[in-house]
Amino acid sequence: MRIMRASSWWRFAIAAVILLAVTPVRAAEEPIEIFDAHLHYNWEPNPYYQVEEVLALFKKHRVTGILATSRPNTGTHALMDAKADGLWVVPFIRPYRVRPDIQTWFNDPTIFDLVQDEFKRGYYRGIGEFHLSGKAAATEWVKKAVDFAVANDLYLHAHADDEAVEILMRHNGRAKIIWAHTGFSLAPSRVASMLATYPQLWGELSYRGGITGAGGELTPEWRAMFEKYPDRFLLGSDTWISERWSSYGAIMAEYRGWLKQLPPAVAKQIAHGNAKRLFAAK
């Protein structure tokens, strides 16, 4: 074995020290930014967090945009009025004044009046989240809401089963629908069929079951769907109750856990790119 001479060893050591000194330490990789496309800042009668606390939560978890709704719409007004640096607020009109409206809004003409009055604020980009099941979507007042959305280039954020989504699309073929929860536990094959049939349908993934399996690994069905339709999915927290606010960081961490299993370009589209494209300024 050849033994390194002392002088050579010292020259090697000095070179290594110099190299370490001039090479910057790589900062910890920043988590992927997320646009939260299903956020409720409900105000009944007071919010769970104050506005400044909510804004701090978004900043802490690198949420750079939100699809903002509230019941009543007071919470959305507050988020818009805050004009927070580094946060893009995309406001939607919630067609509810109080929680019982969930069960009756689709047959209530006063709700359509509410939607029209709120729209006069001039900044809304959609209507929802609203709840519909099956043929409840087939009413006169739902059709009026869909037609109003199409006429004013608004998205519809529908918490609905697949039958109700299809009825909404039949009301007006130009409707643009964000499908809250993407059918919950609906078979992935049916979800894929809906996406193929309706090019203006996007799946929002809060509470969506089956995306991951043991150990948080993406299931083959959902990996294939994300890679086939990378431009058709959005992420959301669905902060409909206080517990969802309390676990906000965990919700975002779970998303990032499976996003990093996808090709980086696909992950970026789902995390924030699709929302930025859909809601870009007119």
Side-chain angles (χ1 to χ4, degrees):
M1 179 183 294
R2 185 176 179 180
I3 300 175
M4 184 182 291
R5 293 170 56 185
S7 59
S8 299
W9 187 90
W10 279 109
R11 284 197 297 271
F12 175 80
I14 291 169
V17 170
I18 293 172
L19 181 63
L20 288 172
V22 299
T23 303
V25 177
R26 185 176 179 182
E29 186 176 350
E30 194 169 22
I32 191 169
E33 67 174 287
I34 288 178
F35 185 103
D36 184 345
H38 190 151
L39 186 118
H40 302 303
Y41 187 44
N42 291 331
W43 205 280
E44 300 173 306
N46 298 301
Y48 180 69
Y49 282 140
Q50 295 304 306
V51 172
E52 59 273 14
E53 294 175 301
V54 168
L55 298 179
L57 196 64
F58 297 147
K59 187 173 183 179
K60 177 180 179 181
H61 297 293
R62 206 180 179 218
V63 171
T64 57
I66 57 173
L67 192 164
T69 73
S70 67
R71 186 182 62 239
N73 288 285
T74 310
T76 301
H77 305 162
L79 290 171
M80 288 296 292
D81 292 344
K83 295 180 171 61
D85 290 337
L87 181 71
W88 182 24
V89 180
V90 177
F92 274 36
I93 301 167
R94 197 90 194 271
Y96 303 153
R97 300 152 300 193
V98 292
R99 184 167 177 78
D101 285 339
I102 293 172
Q103 306 298 326
T104 59
W105 77 273
F106 43 86
N107 272 319
D108 187 345
T110 66
I111 294 296
F112 188 60
D113 292 338
L114 179 157
V115 169
Q116 294 177 97
D117 288 343
E118 277 293 324
F119 182 69
K120 293 174 184 176
R121 290 180 174 269
Y123 52 50
Y124 284 107
R125 300 300 309 278
I127 302 171
E129 176 207 19
F130 54 77
H131 297 69
L132 285 171
S133 179
K135 291 180 173 54
T139 71
E140 170 191 3
W141 295 105
V142 173
K143 179 168 173 42
K144 284 181 179 291
V146 174
D147 288 339
F148 182 83
V150 170
N152 291 284
D153 194 22
L154 301 175
Y155 291 87
L156 297 162
H157 191 188
H159 175 135
D161 56 20
D162 52 335
E163 181 184 8
V165 169
E166 292 192 308
I167 292 170
L168 291 173
M169 289 295 191
R170 289 200 296 270
H171 282 321
N172 194 313
R174 294 186 294 142
K176 299 184 295 185
I177 298 177
I178 296 169
W179 191 7
H181 319 299
T182 316
F184 286 103
S185 59
L186 190 69
S189 59
R190 176 59 174 153
V191 173
S193 174
M194 294 285 285
L195 293 176
T197 303
Y198 303 108
Q200 295 205 120
L201 177 66
W202 293 268
E204 180 273 308
L205 297 169
S206 61
Y207 282 107
R208 172 63 228 194
I211 294 175
T212 58
E217 294 294 313
L218 277 171
T219 60
E221 296 87 353
W222 278 93
R223 178 187 294 278
M225 191 150 39
F226 290 147
E227 292 183 354
K228 183 175 182 179
Y229 296 108
D231 58 340
R232 305 290 291 282
F233 291 101
L234 304 163
L235 305 181
S237 61
D238 192 9
T239 48
W240 68 288
I241 51 176
S242 58
E243 287 78 7
R244 296 291 285 183
W245 283 111
S246 300
S247 58
Y248 195 83
I251 294 167
M252 296 301 128
E254 182 176 353
Y255 281 136
R256 289 186 172 107
W258 60 255
L259 283 169
K260 67 184 180 183
Q261 300 173 43
L262 291 168
V266 174
K268 288 178 181 178
Q269 281 186 272
I270 296 171
H272 56 82
N274 293 333
K276 289 181 177 180
R277 175 175 52 85
L278 294 180
F279 305 132
K282 299 178 184 178

